[in-house]
Every structure is written in C-alpha cells, then in structure tokens.
Amino acid sequence: MVSIAAVLSEAAAQLSAISDTPRLDAELLLAHALGCSREAMLLGKLDEPVPPAFHALFARRMAHEPVAYITGTRAFWTIDLAVGPGVLIPRADSETLIEAAVAYFGDRTPATILDLGTGPGTLLLAALAEWSDAMGLGVDSSEAALDYARRNGDRIASDRAKFRLGDWGVGIDARFDLVLCNPPYVEADAILDAQVAAYEPGSALYAGADGLDDYRRIAPQLPGLVAPGGVAILEMGHTQRESVTALLEVHGATVACRRDLGGRPRALIATYG
C-alpha cells in the first residue's frame, strides 16, 4: 500500500517543475480525490491508501491545467467559489480590493455594491459575505461566467445578489456605495504562464497593446455609478499605477493606492466630489 503521505512528497517534487505551489497543488488534488477537505486529509488521512482517482487528476495538472478547474472550486477571501473553463480563476491579489473596501468603510456598511466584470461572482460575493446587510449587482459580458456567478450567488448570498449580462457600466442608471472592478489589464503581446494562457479566457485577461483599453471605457462611467460618499476600487497590473490613476483623474477622481501582500501596487481607490 502506498500512503497519501508518501505520494504527497513524490507528487510535490514532480509538480515543482510546473507550479510555484507544488505541495499545495498536490494536497488539493488528493483531498479532492478523497472527497474531503484539505484540512481533514492532513489531520486524519495521511496514512490511508491513495485513492485511484488521484492519478488522472495529477496527470491533468502536469499538463498545466489549473487546479481550480480540476477541482471545480477556488477559495477567495472568506468564501469558496465554484469555477470552471471559461471563467477567470480568482487570485489572492484581488483580495486587496476587499481589504481596501473594508478599510474605507470602517464601521459603516455599503448598502449597495456593484461588481463590474464579476466573473464567477468573485468580488461581489466576497463583499456580500463581509457585509450581511448589503445588496449587490454583478455585471459580466460572458454568459459562461454569469452561470457560475448565479450558482455561487444562490449558495453564498441567496437573494442579496443579482447578476446581469452587460458591457461594463453601460445602461446602469443606479448609483452604488461601493463599485468594485477587476478588468482585463494584460498587454496583448504579454507572455503568460502556460496554465493561464492555455486555459483561462483571453477576454478576461487581455486589454489591447498597453493593457489599458478597458480602463479607458470604465473611467468615464464611474462618476455616474458611485453614490455620494461612496468609492470605486479597481484592480490593476502592478506597473500600471500612474497610467490608470491618470485615466481616473481626468474624470474627476481623487485616487489613492493600496498594495497587495507582495508589496506591489494593486488596487486604486477612487472617490468623487
């Protein structure tokens, strides 16, 4: 019998050739094959035999398929999101936007939240989990993403989250206390990791030659979407602070920046009036 503990070490060693988190990847795949949480596996199942399903999962990961697509789930902030092909996988860097929102509102609650480019509901549902009295709207141009968002919303936020097909803020005539947005911001000729470039949707990644095409569309919409006393918080590439700040300032924003856990500029906090 080959134990889970033994396979974990071997799998992590092989995954180190394609992943920055080989041990975590191996643990998540084994836990998925066992049908239990990673924590439950580590605390009580390391001496058990390796489940047969693991080998096929491991082969998929070695072919660069993202772990989140293989397991069908991704942890983000305080929630777990169902994800799959056609949907941008939530990143830990994006949690910077929620941190910035929590810091901005302090003891207050944003009553209404808008998430532009919501994907599987990532930022909206994380915010609604943080503020249990808030209501929110998620907008995306992808029906595939919205299918995941609605399923996640039914499970996480029940009737407090609504989702709609849309083109950023076009056609939205309401104002929101908190506007969140993680648009595409990768330059068209950028070389991405194989697991990203080969699997995740390009429409959620690339934004023209300089990566700013979507910011140019979003920036003029924000003054009409942010309620008095509210805020818009946008994710950006860590080299784009000056460029995106300038786009926001042209349309009347006062802009501050919050860094991610790696110390890189990641979220721009825009207020108006």
Side-chain angles (χ1 to χ4, degrees), residues 24 32 53 55 63 79 111 114 118 121 135 169 171 184 199 203 214 220 234 237 257:
L24 176 61
H32 183 65
H55 303 290
I79 59 177
L114 173 65
T118 192
M135 305 285 288
Y199 287 94
S203 60
D214 289 292
L234 296 84
C257 179

Side-chain angles (χ1 to χ4, degrees), residues 5 48 56-57 67 69 79 105 114 138 163 174 180 197 206 225 245 252 255 273:
E48 293 186 9
L57 303 179
V67 172
Y69 283 178
I79 59 177
F105 285 98
L114 173 65
F163 298 94
L180 297 164
Y206 299 103
L225 295 172
T245 295
V255 183

Side-chain angles (χ1 to χ4, degrees), residues 89-109:
I89 297 170
R91 267 78 165 168
D93 284 344
S94 299
E95 294 183 354
T96 309
L97 278 70
I98 304 299
E99 293 171 353
V102 170
Y104 178 85
F105 285 98
D107 294 335
R108 297 181 295 140
T109 293

Side-chain angles (χ1 to χ4, degrees), residues 3-9 11 22-51 54:
S3 70
I4 288 171
V7 164
L8 267 177
S9 297
R23 177 76 182 195
L24 176 61
D25 290 3
E27 291 173 356
L28 290 170
L29 293 175
L30 272 162
H32 183 65
L34 284 167
C36 69
S37 70
R38 173 173 164 252
E39 291 75 13
M41 180 191 73
L42 293 175
L43 290 173
K45 297 181 180 293
L46 292 179
D47 293 331
E48 293 186 9
V50 176
F54 170 73

Side-chain angles (χ1 to χ4, degrees), residues 76-77 92-106 108 110 123 127 130-131 177-180 230-235 256-260 266-271:
F76 182 83
W77 196 242
D93 284 344
S94 299
E95 294 183 354
T96 309
L97 278 70
I98 304 299
E99 293 171 353
V102 170
Y104 178 85
F105 285 98
R108 297 181 295 140
L123 294 172
E130 189 69 26
W131 292 291
D177 298 317
L178 172 60
V179 178
L180 297 164
V231 65
I233 305 176
L234 296 84
E235 182 166 338
C257 179
R258 188 178 183 95
R259 296 177 180 269
D260 60 26
R266 184 60 61 187
L268 290 180
I269 301 134
T271 54

Side-chain angles (χ1 to χ4, degrees), residues 184-247:
Y185 54 73
V186 178
E187 298 88 346
D189 61 355
I191 299 174
L192 298 179
D193 187 276
Q195 68 175 340
V196 178
Y199 287 94
E200 296 191 64
S203 60
L205 296 167
Y206 299 103
D210 60 2
L212 301 176
D213 281 5
D214 289 292
Y215 295 114
R216 293 188 180 98
R217 299 196 58 228
I218 296 163
Q221 298 172 359
L222 291 177
L225 295 172
V226 178
V231 65
I233 305 176
L234 296 84
E235 182 166 338
M236 61 177 174
H238 67 88
T239 65
Q240 296 172 324
R241 177 178 180 175
E242 292 184 1
S243 299
V244 182
T245 295
L247 290 171

